[in-house]
Amino acid sequence: MKHIFYRLLCIGLLSTLAVSCSDDSVAPAEVRDNPLAMGNPSGATTDPASYTNYLMEKPQYALSYHRDRGTPNWVSWHLSKAWLGSASRQDNFAPDNALPTGWFRATSASYTGSGFDRGHNCPSADRTGSVADNSATFLMTNIIPQAPNNNQRTWADLENYCRTLVDSGNELYIICGSYGRGGTGSDGQANTIADGKITVPNRIWKVIVVLTAGSDDVSRVAADTRVIAVNTPNTSNLNPEWATYRTSVDAIEKATGYDLLSAVSASVQSVVESRVDDGPVN
């Protein structure tokens, strides 16, 4: 009888272990993927001679920097649960010492009294996995002069929505950028701040590729993949509903000259980039 009991016990334990292993094998891995997996939109390079399109790659995101504008052209990052944790907002805005020698390095004080927020491209709340990850979002090469209501209402709502998509089992590839000259902050219209060293952008845009969490991400982008493109004016009197400003990737490419999602097959690009998203907004 003892032998039968132990045999049944072992079978039960093995069955439990098998079910556990099976569950683990089908659960998508939450990993930190390459922020440039979907492509380098402007062909940015690490050659300082390319001062209007200088590539900077950090563990948390990648960006193209424009020396004479004092801001990034675009910032690209990956967002999954692997990037999210319990690290608090550091608020430690700092000049980026990785910029080439002799280049202007914006500081937090560069924005003081300007009427514009220090607007993140890659949001602080997208990088809460560690203090170092969060601090990286406060480097001034990730910051643009952003109208307060644009930053604190419209853009904040879109950023929060992105994180709800991740909470629902998705991973995102996000590219945020700006272009043009002249915005309207709390003190009125301005073309530049910091004694002309930082250009105030006229438009701020974002492209979001939504995938279920998994691997081989570029190959999984298909004609039915949800791609959200948004392009807002840099003003404080804009509509607080971000969906008001949905557009197509093609339209943003036409305005910027960039080749977004260039790593995706051309046939898929032609479909997803021409479409204006009409999916849920919360």
Side-chain angles (χ1 to χ4, degrees):
M1 183 65 71
K2 289 182 178 179
H3 292 303
I4 295 174
F5 173 76
Y6 285 125
R7 184 177 181 185
L8 291 173
L9 180 61
C10 289
I11 290 173
L13 290 172
L14 288 172
S15 297
T16 301
L17 180 61
V19 170
S20 176
C21 290
S22 175
D23 288 347
D24 288 345
S25 65
V26 297
E30 297 290 353
V31 297
R32 296 182 167 194
D33 287 316
N34 178 5
L36 290 177
M38 296 294 157
N40 179 333
S42 58
T45 73
T46 56
D47 181 357
S50 181
Y51 58 87
T52 64
N53 189 27
Y54 181 66
L55 180 65
M56 305 182 76
E57 295 186 77
K58 302 180 184 300
Q60 298 81 12
Y61 52 84
L63 64 99
S64 162
Y65 188 77
H66 195 303
R67 182 197 67 185
D68 294 349
R69 289 178 69 92
T71 61
N73 298 308
W74 52 260
V75 179
S76 183
W77 68 100
H78 174 250
L79 182 59
S80 70
K81 289 182 180 177
W83 289 104
L84 303 176
S86 58
S88 60
R89 181 183 172 95
Q90 298 302 299
D91 270 323
N92 53 348
F93 291 94
D96 193 336
N97 293 325
L99 286 170
T101 301
W103 286 23
F104 166 71
R105 296 178 182 181
T107 67
S108 182
S110 302
Y111 285 66
T112 301
S114 68
F116 291 91
D117 284 0
R118 298 160 297 185
H120 285 70
N121 282 254
C122 177
S124 163
D126 281 7
R127 291 292 180 262
T128 55
S130 71
V131 169
D133 287 340
N134 193 261
S135 291
T137 69
F138 289 92
L139 290 172
M140 298 303 292
T141 47
N142 182 47
I143 304 298
I144 58 173
Q146 192 168 5
N149 284 344
N150 184 302
N151 181 37
Q152 299 169 31
R153 295 193 315 187
T154 312
W155 224 237
D157 286 348
L158 177 55
E159 293 166 358
N160 288 333
Y161 178 62
C162 287
R163 289 185 288 274
T164 67
L165 290 173
V166 172
D167 290 340
S168 300
N170 297 294
E171 61 180 311
L172 312 180
Y173 286 89
I174 306 173
I175 311 163
C176 179
S178 55
Y179 65 90
R181 179 182 175 90
T184 305
S186 59
D187 293 335
Q189 197 276 343
N191 291 329
T192 64
I193 63 172
D195 296 324
K197 295 184 176 68
I198 299 175
T199 298
V200 177
N202 181 256
R203 306 286 300 192
I204 304 170
W205 57 269
K206 183 173 286 186
V207 171
I208 304 151
V209 179
V210 184
L211 296 168
T212 55
S215 56
D216 299 321
D217 296 334
V218 175
S219 66
R220 293 191 296 118
V221 180
D224 61 351
T225 296
R226 187 180 185 191
V227 177
I228 305 168
V230 176
N231 191 348
T232 70
N234 189 20
T235 65
S236 277
N237 62 353
L238 76 173
N239 193 311
E241 302 294 333
W242 62 262
T244 304
Y245 302 101
R246 283 190 282 197
T247 185
S248 68
V249 175
D250 280 345
I252 294 175
E253 288 183 330
K254 183 177 181 180
T256 61
Y258 299 151
D259 184 7
L260 300 167
L261 313 183
S262 59
V264 176
S265 72
S267 60
V268 172
Q269 283 187 66
S270 66
V271 177
V272 300
E273 293 187 355
S274 63
R275 188 169 57 219
V276 177
D277 176 68
D278 61 357
V281 299
N282 52 45

